[in-house]
Amino acid sequence: MQIALSSLRPGHHPDAPAGVVNVRKTGRDAGLEALAASINTLGLIQPLVVVPGGDGYHYVVDGNRRHAALESLVAAGKLEPHSKVPATECDAGIAREAGLAANINQSPMHEADQVEAYAELRRAGMKEKDIAARFGQPVAQVRKLLALGGVSPAVLDAWRAGKVRAEDVRTFTLAPSHADQDRVLAAVLKDGRTWSIREKLCLDGSVGHLLSYVGAKAYKAAGGTVVEDLFGGSDVVSDRALLQRLVDERLDAECERRAKEGWGWAAKGADLAPGWRWSWPRLKDGQRPFSAEEQARYDELQAYLDADDDDATDEAIAAAHAEVAAIEAAARIPLGAEDRARSGVVVTLGADGKIAVEPYVVRPEDVPAKPEPAAPAEPEEKGLSSALIDRLSEQATRAVQATLPSSPKAGLAILLAGALCEHRGAGPVHVTLGGLGGAQAQLHNTGSFDAVLAGLLARPVDELLEVAAVVAGHAVNLHHYNRSAPATRPSALALMGALDPDAMKTALDDAFDGEGFFKAAPKGVILQIVEEVLGEAEARRVKDHKKSDLVRFAVASVLPTGWLPAEIRHPGYDGPGSARPAEQTLAAAA
């Protein structure tokens, strides 16, 4: 019988008669587009099974997906609403059983039969796009189905028999001929090593990046053939040597082009010694010294960032980092033409099929030889090392800490100044007890805030000043982030000058490790100190001494004079080298 589409309703419609259902609840809408395309091309091949209702409609028992596909064709304007379709009528009493039987008893086609049928359509002259349109499939999917259906009959039979898997058949699509497929199939069926199909077909899947760089069109123009891997992206070429030659020719041309840009040399990475990527040096951008204004602002920003200020916002910190980077960038000296001429570029081909160019590479033979040292003798005569300045800073810090208890009023003023000054991290006082040894200090203040506060309020002012001085001592740290010496910084000098000069002198004498200083100082620095303290004649007399002898001489002759290094001299220092030339002259004359 023929029934108009407008009088059909799905079996799961709420007005369906009792017993009429759509037994398929899962996947009702799956593949409707392809099914609609097939019906539009071939018509409704299998009739619908329907039950008449008392309302003039027929309700579908079997074929609800076909009915939905037909409705989609009506919505798309490809069928008229009153078009008639074939249908078979059944009684409502057996509707559920009929729908269930139709779904259970249907037997899906084997994939091999399906792809072979597609391949027959192609061999009959139907184009890929026409097949895709008829069955509602993407063209790319149709190409895969045609490739699978195009393998040898023996491979299809083995697939039907379960001797090879679908993924094995996909590999066979890369073989150049049916003869090669049959040969390898016989081998793997004999040894059971289906995983070795690619190896037995001699398929090299590692050429994708080479082919991507050269281009399939150029490779084919040079006489090669390409079998496209529709399933895994590992295309197969007939002549890898040809492909490699084309790659090398293009890379060589790229090197020649780069060499004309002024580089000292240009080479392919594959032509260089193994390990060049990590063992050969590269030229780096230069850096000019900061101007006085840049240095001052740079130090200010670094101090701000090092201060760990809880009140600083994320935006302010980010702005400070950005300004630091801008100052550094402004002082950078980019590499130029001369740097190109004394270095080269290396051209490599990446796994993505794109070339990478690494510039300013220096070959080992182009690295200037380091001059041999004239003699292994004495240490190089330079200024004090950073490590030695650190030690001096620590010694000065300990002297200040030892002196502060004897100057309680100054201690309180120092403590308050450290708390109130701007950019606290840049100053020499850290009121968070972040000074030298501050974190380990035992101030015997235990208990809650209110208990400690009550105990302190019960003390007289003189005792509070003494406590403040001790706390200030544990907040002091004369180290500086750029390792400048304490005596070169106005803040550190002001701190040391606020203390009792005699107590400060005694504490510094006790803290200063004179012998350790002279052992660490260069010989030239020691000679300058001897000249400063004992005179030029004495310095000339001992200048040829060995370092060890010179150290012993300085310890015995310089330290008893009360001399201290200029890097830690406090404002009250009156020893050799102090700013009292007249008094020194009188003392020397006496």
Side-chain angles (χ1 to χ4, degrees):
M1 60 182 294
Q2 297 285 323
I3 297 180
L5 281 173
S6 58
S7 66
L8 288 174
R9 283 181 173 176
H12 49 277
H13 192 279
D15 295 336
V20 176
V21 293
N22 183 352
V23 295
R24 183 194 294 270
K25 294 184 178 181
T26 304
R28 287 175 179 170
D29 300 327
L32 286 182
E33 184 178 350
L35 180 56
S38 176
I39 293 174
N40 187 49
T41 301
L42 305 174
L44 188 62
I45 299 174
Q46 184 178 358
L48 306 176
V49 178
V50 298
V51 170
D55 51 6
Y57 288 98
H58 282 75
Y59 294 86
V60 179
V61 174
D62 174 47
N64 279 281
R65 290 183 65 253
R66 280 167 276 155
H67 176 243
L70 289 166
E71 291 288 347
S72 70
L73 291 174
V74 171
K78 296 180 180 180
L79 277 180
E80 292 296 327
H82 299 293
S83 298
K84 292 186 176 183
V85 295
T88 301
E89 189 176 295
C90 74
D91 185 80
I94 62 169
R96 185 185 298 272
E97 289 82 356
L100 183 60
N103 281 278
I104 291 177
N105 295 327
Q106 65 178 354
S107 178
M109 292 178 65
H110 190 282
E111 285 184 89
D113 297 334
Q114 182 183 358
V115 298
E116 188 175 36
Y118 273 100
E120 288 296 335
L121 293 175
R122 184 69 177 90
R123 283 191 283 269
M126 190 177 294
K127 296 180 180 180
E128 292 177 355
K129 63 179 182 179
D130 295 331
I131 298 174
R134 281 180 175 270
F135 294 96
Q137 297 281 356
V139 174
Q141 178 64 18
V142 170
R143 291 189 65 199
K144 293 179 180 180
L145 295 173
L146 293 175
L148 292 171
V151 298
S152 78
V155 173
L156 288 175
D157 289 342
W159 189 10
R160 292 186 181 97
K163 297 178 180 179
V164 294
R165 302 162 300 171
E167 51 264 40
D168 300 328
V169 181
R170 296 187 190 113
T171 305
F172 276 116
T173 64
L174 300 174
S177 67
H178 282 186
D180 289 318
Q181 294 173 5
D182 292 343
R183 172 181 55 80
V184 171
L185 175 65
V188 297
L189 292 180
K190 181 178 180 180
D191 62 23
R193 300 168 61 196
T194 55
W195 51 266
S196 65
I197 294 174
R198 179 177 287 273
E199 175 187 342
K200 287 182 168 64
L201 286 172
C202 301
L203 302 178
D204 187 351
S206 62
V207 299
H209 64 299
L210 304 178
L211 189 61
S212 176
Y213 177 57
V214 171
K217 184 176 180 180
Y219 176 69
K220 292 175 183 177
T225 58
V226 179
V227 178
E228 183 182 2
D229 184 355
L230 300 173
F231 302 95
S234 300
D235 296 344
V236 176
V237 298
S238 59
D239 190 342
R240 183 190 174 104
L242 170 64
L243 179 60
Q244 187 64 59
R245 178 172 63 79
L246 295 175
V247 169
D248 289 339
E249 289 175 356
R250 288 194 59 179
L251 291 176
D252 287 336
E254 183 67 24
C255 289
E256 291 178 10
R257 185 177 73 80
R258 298 283 175 171
K260 293 177 182 178
E261 295 176 351
W263 296 99
W265 54 271
K268 303 195 299 288
D271 293 340
L272 301 181
W276 68 269
R277 192 181 299 276
W278 54 266
S279 63
W280 289 15
R282 276 74 164 164
L283 299 182
K284 304 295 183 183
D285 287 344
Q287 188 84 17
R288 66 166 173 77
F290 290 163
S291 67
E293 182 180 351
E294 288 173 330
Q295 187 67 58
R297 181 57 177 162
Y298 189 85
D299 292 345
E300 182 181 1
L301 291 167
Q302 291 289 8
Y304 171 74
L305 293 172
D306 291 341
D308 195 19
D309 188 353
D310 293 337
D311 296 330
T313 64
D314 291 342
E315 293 77 8
I317 294 174
H321 279 296
E323 191 172 351
V324 167
I327 294 174
E328 293 173 343
R332 190 172 296 117
I333 303 175
L335 297 170
E338 292 184 1
D339 300 301
R340 285 191 174 200
R342 62 191 181 97
S343 63
V345 292
V346 181
V347 180
T348 58
L349 180 62
D352 58 356
K354 298 179 181 179
I355 62 169
V357 179
E358 190 159 351
Y360 298 107
V361 180
V362 180
R363 294 175 297 193
E365 59 265 31
D366 296 333
V367 177
K370 293 183 179 179
E372 293 293 331
E378 304 295 343
E380 186 178 359
E381 297 185 4
K382 296 182 179 179
L384 300 186
S385 66
S386 297
L388 185 52
I389 288 179
D390 275 349
R391 285 165 55 188
L392 292 175
S393 298
E394 178 177 341
Q395 293 160 12
T397 300
R398 295 193 183 282
V400 170
Q401 291 174 336
T403 306
L404 269 171
S406 64
S407 303
K409 184 176 181 180
L412 183 57
I414 289 168
L415 183 65
L416 294 175
L420 297 175
C421 71
E422 187 179 7
H423 303 311
R424 286 173 291 174
V429 176
H430 303 265
V431 295
T432 57
L433 301 186
L436 186 66
Q440 292 77 35
Q442 298 294 326
L443 301 180
H444 307 293
N445 288 333
T446 57
S448 62
F449 172 81
D450 52 338
V452 174
L453 180 60
L456 291 173
L457 290 175
R459 297 189 182 195
V461 173
D462 289 346
E463 290 186 14
L464 290 180
L465 290 174
E466 293 175 1
V467 173
V470 174
V471 171
H474 287 296
V476 172
N477 191 342
L478 296 184
H479 287 91
H480 198 253
Y481 70 90
N482 66 3
R483 294 192 171 179
S484 59
T488 65
R489 305 196 308 274
S491 58
L493 283 174
L495 187 155
M496 292 189 290
L499 306 176
D500 178 79
D502 292 334
M504 187 66 194
K505 179 180 183 305
T506 301
L508 266 177
D509 288 341
D510 293 338
F512 175 54
D513 178 9
E515 183 174 0
F517 171 88
F518 285 120
K519 287 181 178 180
K523 181 178 178 180
V525 172
I526 300 176
L527 290 174
Q528 291 176 5
I529 295 169
V530 170
E531 182 177 349
E532 178 186 49
V533 177
L534 303 176
E536 182 179 357
E538 192 68 6
R540 283 199 305 269
R541 187 182 68 80
V542 298
K543 71 180 182 64
D544 294 328
H545 281 21
K546 292 182 179 180
K547 172 69 180 293
S548 57
D549 294 335
L550 188 59
V551 169
R552 283 193 292 270
F553 172 80
V555 169
S557 304
V558 173
L559 294 183
T561 67
W563 172 88
L564 288 175
E567 289 76 11
I568 59 172
R569 291 174 186 172
H570 58 98
Y573 170 76
D574 59 358
S578 64
R580 299 184 183 182
E583 293 182 16
Q584 290 182 27
T585 301
L586 292 174

